[in-house]
Amino acid sequence: MYVRDAKNRDEVWLLDSLEELGLDDGSFRSRDYVIALDEESGEKAGFGRIRVNKADEPFCEVTCVGVSERWRGQGVGAHVVERLVDRAAAEGFDTVYGFTADHGYCAQFGFEAVDAEDLPAGPRQRLDGVREADGDAIALRLDREAFSMPERLRERFKAAAPASGGDAEPELTAEDFGYDEETPTKYSTNLRR
């Protein structure tokens, strides 16, 4: 299992996964995402987004973190968050925000709740927008140096395997790309002379 930056070819899977998990990303850009993949099968297990908000004082947010049901409870989401925090640091942000009602999950990494009144203008405005969809959302802040990965999640991630049942990502065929293997074309390898 490993986490990498998303590629253009991951867009359809990302959009389908966002829809399936009920996550809203009104300004979708695949280049903002990271994806967790199984090394052996190549199956995509989870994802998350780093969002740089270009307010008067730019700030960085971890958002849209999701894990496929078959991969939950194995540290996949934790490693996605870790990669996103690393990307925020690479982009020059020492502080990362999150806006969610699931603050218990984030607290294990070092995120701390922040009162709306104590937020700078940009993050406060973002929190107000998130609360329109989720009235229970709170603001969380993480100073990059305070991030910590619980050892239990690191160990689970090393041995991660999909839960039995459920469907794995289907294997793509030529028909998925609009090709009919029975019809000869200029570039076909099945031409008969």
Side-chain angles (χ1 to χ4, degrees):
M1 183 66 60
Y2 67 100
V3 181
R4 66 157 168 81
D5 291 345
K7 301 179 185 314
N8 287 343
R9 67 177 180 256
D10 299 319
E11 284 184 4
V12 171
W13 180 83
L14 280 167
L15 289 167
D16 288 347
S17 296
L18 286 165
E19 182 178 347
E20 181 182 314
L21 295 173
L23 297 172
D24 181 28
D25 186 359
S27 57
F28 178 83
R29 294 182 339 176
S30 62
R31 69 177 175 249
D32 294 340
Y33 281 83
V34 298
I35 296 178
L37 294 110
D38 180 46
E39 289 175 276
E40 292 178 21
S41 68
E43 182 180 348
K44 295 173 182 88
F47 58 91
R49 178 180 182 203
I50 187 97
R51 178 178 176 162
V52 175
N53 294 275
K54 303 204 186 237
D56 290 337
E57 295 178 35
F59 66 96
C60 192
E61 169 189 1
V62 169
T63 187
C64 294
V65 176
V67 177
S68 299
E69 194 171 325
R70 292 167 33 93
W71 293 92
R72 291 188 185 151
Q74 301 186 64
V76 173
H79 282 76
V80 166
V81 171
E82 180 179 46
R83 179 68 178 259
L84 293 171
V85 170
D86 289 346
R87 282 191 56 189
E91 294 199 27
F93 292 94
D94 291 328
T95 302
V96 180
Y97 290 92
F99 307 98
T100 181
D102 194 5
H103 47 84
Y105 179 77
C106 299
Q108 65 186 329
F109 307 115
F111 281 87
E112 295 180 346
V114 180
D115 289 329
E117 304 81 42
D118 296 333
L119 289 170
R124 187 173 338 117
Q125 195 172 31
R126 175 71 176 134
L127 174 61
D128 291 343
V130 171
R131 282 184 171 165
E132 288 177 14
D134 183 356
D136 295 329
I138 65 168
L140 301 166
R141 179 173 45 217
L142 173 75
D143 292 323
R144 181 174 46 112
E145 300 299 322
F147 180 85
S148 74
M149 172 70 71
E151 193 58 34
R152 73 185 193 294
L153 297 177
R154 196 168 299 287
E155 291 304 315
R156 286 182 197 165
F157 189 71
K158 290 177 185 176
S164 59
D167 295 328
E169 195 171 309
E171 187 173 322
L172 297 175
T173 66
E175 292 168 353
D176 292 320
F177 296 98
Y179 295 112
D180 176 2
E181 292 180 344
E182 300 300 317
T183 305
T185 66
K186 179 178 178 182
Y187 302 105
S188 287
T189 58
N190 63 351
L191 291 176
R192 299 177 199 266
R193 295 195 200 269

